[in-house]
Amino acid sequence: MCLMGHTSVRHEAHAGIQAPVCFGITKNYRSMYPISSVLLFLIPTVIPLPETAPADSVRHEIGLQEVTVTGTPPVKNQTGVSEGKIALTMKTLGQLPRFLGEADPVRTLQLMPGIQTAGEMNAGLYVRGCDPGHNLVLLNGAPVYNPMHMIGLFSIFNADHVSRFSLHHTAGNPLSGGRLGGTLEVTAPDTVATRFGMRAGVGLINAGLSLTLPVSKRSALYLSARRSYINYMLELMNTDASDFTLDYRLTDYNATYVWQPDEKNNITVNFYQGGDKLNIDDPRSNIHAQTRWANLAASLSAETRLARGKRLEQTLYYARFTNRIGLEQVSQLLQLPSSLWEAGYKGALHTRGATSSRRMGITYGFRDLDPQHPVIDGQAPVVVQSLFRTHETALFYGWKQYLGDRFSADASLRYTVFAQTGPYTRLFFDASDRPTGSYHKEKNRLVKVWHGAEPTVNLLYDLTPRDRLAASYELRRQYIHQVALSGIGFPIDFWVSASKYIPPQRMQSVTLGYFRDIQQGAWRFSAQLYGRLLANQSEFGGELFDMINQRFYFEEHLLFGKGRSYGAEFQLRKTAGALTGWISYTVGRSQRSFAGIEAGRWFDARHERRHDLSVVAAYRLSPRWELSSAFVYATGNSCTMPEKIMFINEKPVLHYGPYNGAKLAPYHRLDVSAQWTRGRSGVNISLYNAYARKNPVFLWVKVHQIPETGKMRIHKYGKSFYHLLPSVSYQYTIR
């Protein structure tokens, strides 16, 4: 019923709310696993959605005096940590300390609960005990397979070309499945600008330019470019310049076109291309290394608002990643090239009613993966790893229901089908490298099919208008592995696909959370418990030099086991006033078990940090000055260390202790920043690692003889790159 007349209504509502590794320490584990195969033919069916007809309404005109309505709507977190999601605005990103003058979304997320501190030379995300290869990173719907620039300085995302970004700890959008870890969604500008805009920035290592160009009343073009000149800064970062020299360059190019042909349709075309070039020269060992690394992501997205609360969302995408590692020594050149490209489609229909909403759709992706293989002096090995050509399809249906004013349930079901097709060849050898058999499939012939369901359930209950409880359960599957060879930001890790001989990964997860708003949302507190069980985790059981072989299959050197991670996350966040910021603390364990490693003993994952603390503060001193700081403390990562020395033919041989049984020194640093703004100009002054903590990137292990006694001693020392790093950057903005 509609009340008409001289009525005044007042709402009194409460606002809601990798790390260092040990080099030179290698163990060789080999084992064989039985493989079972299942074949499924999937016939998609269309599920009709019930339509909600609008209720008939009767209008009565009644004269009333003033009416006061007092209510407290459900709490809504605008930014920060919510139920399984971290959402941050670009304004928040700009207020935080900058690394070498760059405001980076990924480094900001590393300060959040449940995301472990990665360490120096590593911009990867470690979400609730998972590896970076477990994450799905999307740029306007297109996947990015290596989202950080080389040496781990910062990610590929240019903050001047990002409108918003969010990270889902749990499965958020069924359109974005297929990974065990978090889902990072980065969105380029998606609104039509009405006037010209520009932002230019110059710092110590990078220079960037972003343009906003209105094309018509209903369309706009956004362009951005970023380029580095970092070489002289690397010389400062390397305190022992005689060891080696670095020559490094990076580039990022973004283009986004937004078109709104009418009030019901929105079309966005997005393109990104970026690359890295690194040269390393070590005169002492006469080694010259070259690495080339490039990403490309393109997408065409269309959103259509249909009648009766329905919305159609569709995306076509293409992504490519190429990597070429080269090493030259004594006139011999070794290269390890690899590439991966993927093309696909995502479509979803959303419907919304008075107390419920539904979504259904389909995703499809074709992936062509050429794994790393050795090329010596231009000649590939006689036998090399075969290509992986795969198809991945998922059908999903989701339903959200509000039951009263306090309780809501959100459930979804994805069913995925993964197929490997030819050409594919696998040869088999005995212990003496003599061929014993082969497996071969021609082009487009079916090799292997994997499939399974992925259910997700999320429950929310409002204890009071300011207190909320959350619980979730999910099962996820991942049909691609990233096998780690290093814990630092050099691109020597490689991707392999699920196949006839490589099983897909699987995870079950349970999460419990409590969220509270304090002082009408000025303060927000969250506490979450999580537990995860992982299956078919991969570990490289060989040595890096195994790649230099006349026959080499990654499948021969991969071990498969299980994992578990559990922990608790806490955050206290201040969102209002001149002083804002948060304190985040995570305590957790992440462990793995492989039958081929120490008879299946549970050991700590390499990236595990038992305790992880972040303290972030931003203070607006005046309309022109803003100060900020961030302090990080985390316990050391896991590594394998030698315990004893044996002598064979008068040569020392190290005997190593338990696999990943040792811990590196704790990691901690303090960053401070000052931002001055006047009119269109701004200057940022930042200190990264303000008290010059020497956090080791990796450890070297040597055997040292004591001259006085003649005894042998195991000596370890760390190599650190980032000491006190000052930066000054200037920005000029036209809005």
Side-chain angles (χ1 to χ4, degrees):
M1 180 173 67
C2 179
L3 303 181
M4 304 294 293
H6 302 288
T7 305
S8 174
V9 180
R10 296 200 309 265
H11 293 276
E12 298 176 5
H14 299 284
I17 106 180
Q18 189 99 75
V21 297
C22 296
F23 273 70
I25 300 176
T26 312
K27 290 189 176 182
N28 191 16
Y29 301 92
R30 301 174 184 269
S31 60
M32 298 182 62
Y33 295 83
I35 302 294
S36 60
S37 56
V38 180
L39 179 65
L40 173 73
F41 295 96
L42 180 66
I43 303 177
T45 58
V46 177
I47 306 175
L49 297 177
E51 297 185 355
T52 303
D56 295 334
S57 60
V58 181
R59 176 172 293 181
H60 300 274
E61 296 188 359
I62 303 176
L64 294 178
Q65 302 298 322
E66 181 181 37
V67 177
T68 301
V69 179
T70 303
T72 305
V75 172
K76 294 183 179 180
N77 291 339
Q78 302 300 326
T79 60
V81 178
S82 183
E83 298 80 20
K85 178 181 179 181
I86 297 175
L88 293 175
T89 64
M90 301 313 297
K91 179 180 179 181
T92 302
L93 182 65
Q95 294 172 344
L96 299 180
R98 301 189 179 191
F99 175 67
L100 297 178
E102 290 289 327
D104 187 75
V106 173
R107 284 194 171 270
T108 301
L109 289 172
Q110 291 176 352
L111 301 173
M112 291 295 176
I115 304 176
Q116 295 172 343
T117 298
E120 312 295 15
M121 301 186 72
N122 193 338
L125 291 174
Y126 299 83
V127 180
R128 290 181 175 173
C130 288
D131 303 328
H134 289 147
N135 300 323
L136 176 62
V137 181
L138 298 172
L139 178 57
N140 272 42
V144 178
Y145 281 93
N146 279 275
M148 68 177 181
H149 279 296
M150 201 179 301
I151 322 179
L153 294 177
F154 33 77
S155 73
I156 66 169
F157 303 114
N158 187 345
D160 293 338
H161 202 87
V162 174
S163 63
R164 61 187 181 275
F165 63 100
S166 62
L167 178 79
H168 294 267
H169 290 93
T170 58
N173 187 352
L175 270 175
S176 307
R179 295 292 192 275
L180 305 186
T183 301
L184 173 60
E185 296 181 319
V186 180
T187 304
D190 55 0
T191 58
V192 176
T194 58
R195 57 183 179 180
F196 172 81
M198 183 188 76
R199 181 178 176 85
V202 178
L204 292 181
I205 65 170
N206 285 344
L209 176 66
S210 296
L211 299 175
T212 301
L213 305 173
V215 178
S216 66
K217 292 183 178 180
R218 292 189 174 273
S219 63
L221 179 64
Y222 301 86
L223 301 173
S224 297
R226 180 171 63 172
R227 185 178 179 86
S228 72
Y229 36 86
I230 195 176
N231 295 325
Y232 77 94
M233 180 60 68
L234 290 174
E235 295 178 0
L236 297 177
M237 294 162 59
N238 182 17
T239 58
D240 187 4
S242 62
D243 285 347
F244 53 83
T245 59
L246 298 177
D247 179 18
Y248 175 57
R249 294 177 178 85
L250 69 86
T251 55
D252 288 316
Y253 301 102
N254 296 84
T256 302
Y257 177 71
V258 181
W259 177 39
Q260 295 178 348
D262 52 48
E263 298 300 326
K264 295 184 178 181
N265 293 277
N266 190 85
I267 298 174
T268 303
V269 181
N270 190 72
F271 175 84
Y272 165 78
Q273 184 176 20
D276 299 72
K277 296 180 180 180
L278 174 67
N279 296 327
I280 302 177
D281 287 295
D282 188 349
R284 296 184 305 176
S285 57
N286 195 25
I287 292 179
H288 176 69
Q290 293 181 341
T291 302
R292 303 292 183 265
W293 186 350
N295 281 292
L296 186 149
S299 62
L300 169 62
S301 301
E303 182 176 329
T304 304
R305 290 175 291 278
L306 305 174
R308 298 182 179 180
K310 296 179 180 178
R311 178 172 58 91
L312 181 62
E313 179 182 358
Q314 300 182 89
T315 299
L316 287 170
Y317 67 87
Y318 175 84
R320 183 176 180 85
F321 169 70
T322 57
N323 182 18
R324 180 176 292 272
I325 302 172
L327 180 65
E328 184 177 1
Q329 185 177 28
V330 194
S331 301
Q332 188 175 39
L333 178 62
L334 166 67
Q335 292 181 321
L336 296 172
S338 65
S339 65
L340 185 158
W341 68 268
E342 179 179 345
Y345 167 81
K346 304 176 184 179
L349 176 65
H350 303 262
T351 64
R352 181 177 297 276
T355 60
S356 65
S357 62
R358 292 173 173 81
R359 55 195 182 274
M360 61 177 298
I362 185 172
T363 67
Y364 167 77
F366 172 78
R367 187 181 301 126
D368 191 305
L369 194 160
D370 185 8
Q372 286 174 337
H373 57 275
V375 177
I376 302 176
D377 291 335
Q379 298 295 325
V382 176
V383 179
V384 69
Q385 179 75 51
S386 185
L387 294 173
F388 293 99
R389 290 185 174 176
T390 60
H391 306 259
E392 184 174 344
T393 303
L395 293 173
F396 64 85
Y397 182 82
W399 167 73
K400 185 173 184 178
Q401 181 71 45
Y402 297 92
L403 303 174
D405 296 333
R406 295 190 175 187
F407 182 74
S408 65
D410 189 350
S412 65
L413 178 65
R414 297 179 82 247
Y415 199 92
T416 58
V417 179
F418 177 88
Q420 178 192 7
T421 60
Y424 179 77
T425 300
R426 172 70 189 269
L427 303 179
F428 300 93
F429 300 83
D430 59 18
S432 301
D433 284 346
R434 292 175 299 190
T436 60
S438 64
Y439 178 87
H440 177 74
K441 284 289 185 178
E442 298 292 341
K443 184 178 180 180
N444 297 327
R445 296 292 300 274
L446 185 64
V447 177
K448 177 66 178 179
V449 173
W450 299 95
H451 62 91
E454 300 180 17
T456 300
V457 178
N458 296 291
L459 304 176
L460 298 176
Y461 182 75
D462 292 329
L463 292 171
T464 70
R466 301 179 183 86
D467 299 87
R468 171 171 289 185
L469 295 178
S472 68
Y473 165 82
E474 59 182 333
L475 187 152
R476 299 196 216 174
R477 303 174 189 273
Q478 180 172 333
Y479 297 98
I480 191 169
H481 297 252
Q482 186 180 37
V483 183
L485 297 179
S486 167
I488 60 177
F490 289 98
I492 62 176
D493 300 345
F494 57 88
W495 290 95
V496 294
S497 176
S499 66
K500 182 177 179 63
Y501 302 100
I502 300 178
Q505 304 178 74
R506 189 175 67 253
M507 182 199 70
Q508 296 188 73
S509 173
V510 176
T511 305
L512 300 175
Y514 169 72
F515 307 88
R516 178 174 176 81
D517 268 26
I518 306 170
Q519 295 182 0
Q520 299 183 0
W523 292 80
R524 294 167 182 165
F525 173 77
S526 66
Q528 299 186 77
L529 301 174
Y530 68 88
R532 293 185 168 189
L533 296 176
L534 300 94
N536 298 328
Q537 299 304 286
S538 58
E539 188 89 357
F540 187 64
E543 300 181 9
L544 186 60
F545 292 103
D546 288 333
M547 296 182 182
I548 310 173
N549 202 304
Q550 286 301 302
R551 62 168 189 85
F552 178 70
Y553 286 101
F554 282 124
E555 294 163 314
E556 290 185 324
H557 298 281
L558 289 181
L559 306 179
F560 299 100
K562 54 187 177 181
R564 63 189 181 191
S565 62
Y566 52 90
E569 309 165 4
F570 305 92
Q571 186 185 66
L572 179 63
R573 183 182 182 94
K574 188 176 186 296
T575 62
L579 177 64
T580 59
W582 65 83
I583 300 175
S584 298
Y585 171 66
T586 302
V587 55
R589 299 292 302 272
S590 181
Q591 297 179 306
R592 302 289 186 266
S593 174
F594 293 82
I597 300 179
E598 297 180 354
R601 177 187 68 86
W602 284 96
F603 59 86
D604 293 339
R606 176 170 47 188
H607 60 267
E608 185 201 63
R609 296 189 186 274
R610 303 281 177 87
H611 304 276
D612 201 320
L613 173 69
S614 299
V615 181
V616 179
Y619 180 70
R620 179 166 290 279
L621 188 62
S622 69
R624 294 182 180 176
W625 282 96
E626 187 160 13
L627 308 178
S628 60
S629 65
F631 174 76
V632 176
Y633 176 90
T635 52
N637 288 129
S638 306
C639 66
T640 308
M641 293 297 298
E643 293 182 338
K644 300 177 183 179
I645 304 175
M646 299 181 295
F647 287 88
I648 300 178
N649 296 329
E650 298 183 354
K651 293 183 179 180
V653 178
L654 298 178
H655 180 270
Y656 293 96
Y659 190 78
N660 281 357
K663 291 290 185 180
L664 296 174
Y667 176 94
H668 53 88
R669 75 171 197 272
L670 173 67
D671 306 334
V672 295
S673 177
Q675 177 76 26
W676 175 83
T677 305
R678 182 178 181 179
R680 295 178 174 178
S681 297
V683 176
N684 180 273
I685 303 173
S686 297
L687 290 177
Y688 180 87
N689 197 7
Y691 54 82
R693 162 73 175 179
K694 295 184 178 180
N695 291 297
V697 178
F698 51 80
L699 292 180
W700 292 105
V701 178
K702 287 187 177 181
V703 177
H704 175 69
Q705 184 177 23
I706 304 175
E708 294 79 6
T709 62
K711 295 182 179 179
M712 307 299 292
R713 176 180 296 176
I714 299 175
H715 178 68
K716 61 180 181 180
Y717 62 94
K719 179 65 176 178
S720 60
F721 285 87
Y722 302 167
H723 298 173
L724 171 62
L725 292 180
S727 67
V728 179
S729 60
Y730 171 78
Q731 308 91 36
Y732 183 80
T733 305
I734 299 177
R735 293 187 175 89

